Amino acid sequence: NHILKSCLAKSIQNKAVKIDEYVWMPNHLHIILYVIDSYDFIGFYTELMKRITDAYKSLLGLEQLNLWESRPMVAEILDIDKYIERKIYFHSNPSKANLVDKIENYPGLNTWDIFQKGQIVREKIEWTKAKNINKIPLSLDNEQDLENLNLIKSKHSEILELEICPNIGALSFQDNNITNDIIVREVKRFVKINEREYDKERARKGHNTIGSQKLTTQRLDKKHIPKPREPRIYFMTGVRELAADYLSLY
């Protein structure tokens, strides 16, 4: 989690992009960004992928590592309802994927607590260059994990500020009278509804979640085979007129 967070902090420095929310799943990232400059967004995204790849190459002792899908899904959200819907989906995802029973128990990097408070958070993060990160065992217990984390932090070259601006994306939508409190209330309500449904489905099938403890001790080189995707234009809206206007740009 520290490496992912430090790569976020380094990649977004001096860029006209704000982080609204994120949930890092074991094999992919969900993130909502408030983009002020599209070129800065491209720079942030490509830099983030490279920095994470370089860090994990060092952790695994590899010369080459293909970590990312060739066509990531990057979608513009065009209306407030879809914006709220994506937040519900993000925070329901760990339970839907049978990782944990509820988002509060998810050990992966996420902004659930920050989102609920609805206030901007600025955190100081130690940034360590990839070349100064040592190779580590593929499986670690909690004590070894903490020891390696402290070693990585001790080799930091600078301390950066990571800013999270929960619900800043709502500023994108004109004539929007939905307050921060309404967004938080609606997202929390539907996330909990979803989690209860996923619990019932697991009970019917006799399945369990992986659980926090197993998730934190999984091997770093756990395989993932992505699904093939066709070239597409991604956008999200429930308003037909907005969809037509957006497609007309292409």
Side-chain angles (χ1 to χ4, degrees):
N1 281 358
H2 171 75
I3 286 177
L4 296 177
K5 195 181 288 187
S6 67
C7 288
L8 267 177
K10 182 65 175 175
S11 302
I12 208 164
Q13 293 298 300
N14 303 316
K15 294 184 177 67
V17 177
K18 299 288 185 182
I19 298 173
D20 182 320
E21 286 224 61
Y22 55 71
V23 177
W24 291 81
M25 299 294 283
N27 54 23
H28 62 279
L29 163 66
H30 295 296
I31 189 168
I32 295 178
L33 301 169
Y34 181 67
V35 178
I36 302 163
D37 185 284
S38 59
Y39 289 102
D40 275 359
F41 162 70
I42 295 170
F44 160 72
Y45 196 82
T46 54
E47 183 177 338
L48 178 64
M49 290 192 294
K50 183 180 187 309
R51 292 196 181 281
I52 292 175
T53 301
D54 288 346
Y56 275 83
K57 280 163 59 177
S58 295
L59 283 173
L60 297 170
L62 298 175
E63 290 293 328
Q64 298 291 329
L65 178 61
N66 184 12
L67 194 59
W68 304 94
E69 293 186 24
S70 57
R71 294 189 62 85
M73 178 180 171
V74 178
E76 186 172 354
I77 302 174
L78 303 182
D79 65 78
I80 187 68
D81 289 338
K82 282 295 178 182
Y83 173 74
I84 293 174
E85 181 183 293
R86 294 317 292 173
K87 287 174 173 281
I88 294 167
Y89 176 78
F90 284 12
H91 294 300
S92 301
N93 212 219
S95 180
K96 182 181 181 181
N98 299 323
L99 301 178
V100 291
D101 58 346
K102 55 185 179 180
I103 183 64
E104 288 86 355
N105 293 337
Y106 183 54
L109 195 62
N110 68 88
T111 53
W112 178 245
D113 288 341
I114 297 173
F115 160 72
Q116 292 182 87
K117 294 174 183 175
Q119 297 178 337
I120 293 175
V121 170
R122 297 179 179 90
E123 181 181 356
K124 299 297 182 183
I125 305 290
E126 297 96 337
W127 161 252
T128 303
K129 294 179 180 179
K131 66 179 182 181
N132 294 329
I133 297 176
N134 294 334
K135 181 181 178 181
I136 63 173
L138 294 177
S139 296
L140 300 173
D141 58 31
N142 289 337
E143 185 176 341
Q144 291 172 319
D145 189 39
L146 182 59
E147 184 179 319
N148 278 284
L149 172 61
N150 290 333
L151 179 60
I152 291 171
K153 287 183 175 182
S154 71
K155 295 183 177 181
H156 72 269
S157 56
E158 56 183 314
I159 296 179
L160 304 171
E161 183 176 87
L162 178 62
E163 182 181 69
I164 309 298
C165 306
N167 299 326
I168 190 174
L171 298 177
S172 302
F173 312 111
Q174 295 181 354
D175 302 323
N176 168 31
N177 295 319
I178 297 182
T179 65
N180 185 75
D181 288 343
I182 292 174
I183 293 173
V184 171
R185 186 173 66 247
E186 285 297 289
V187 172
K188 287 177 66 175
R189 182 165 73 92
F190 281 101
V191 167
K192 293 308 161 187
I193 289 173
N194 288 344
E195 288 174 347
R196 287 193 291 272
E197 288 301 312
Y198 301 143
D199 272 340
K200 291 177 183 177
E201 185 176 348
R202 280 189 289 269
R204 285 195 302 268
K205 296 179 178 179
H207 294 169
N208 295 314
T209 61
I210 294 174
S212 299
Q213 183 61 35
K214 284 188 178 179
L215 285 171
T216 55
T217 55
Q218 282 189 335
R219 289 168 60 99
L220 285 174
D221 63 344
K222 188 174 176 64
K223 300 296 184 182
H224 168 63
I225 301 175
K227 297 177 182 179
R229 287 180 179 171
E230 300 173 351
R232 292 180 180 180
I233 298 171
Y234 291 104
F235 64 93
M236 297 178 184
T237 180
V239 181
R240 187 180 296 273
E241 291 78 10
L242 285 176
D245 290 345
Y246 189 83
L247 286 172
S248 69
L249 299 175
Y250 299 91

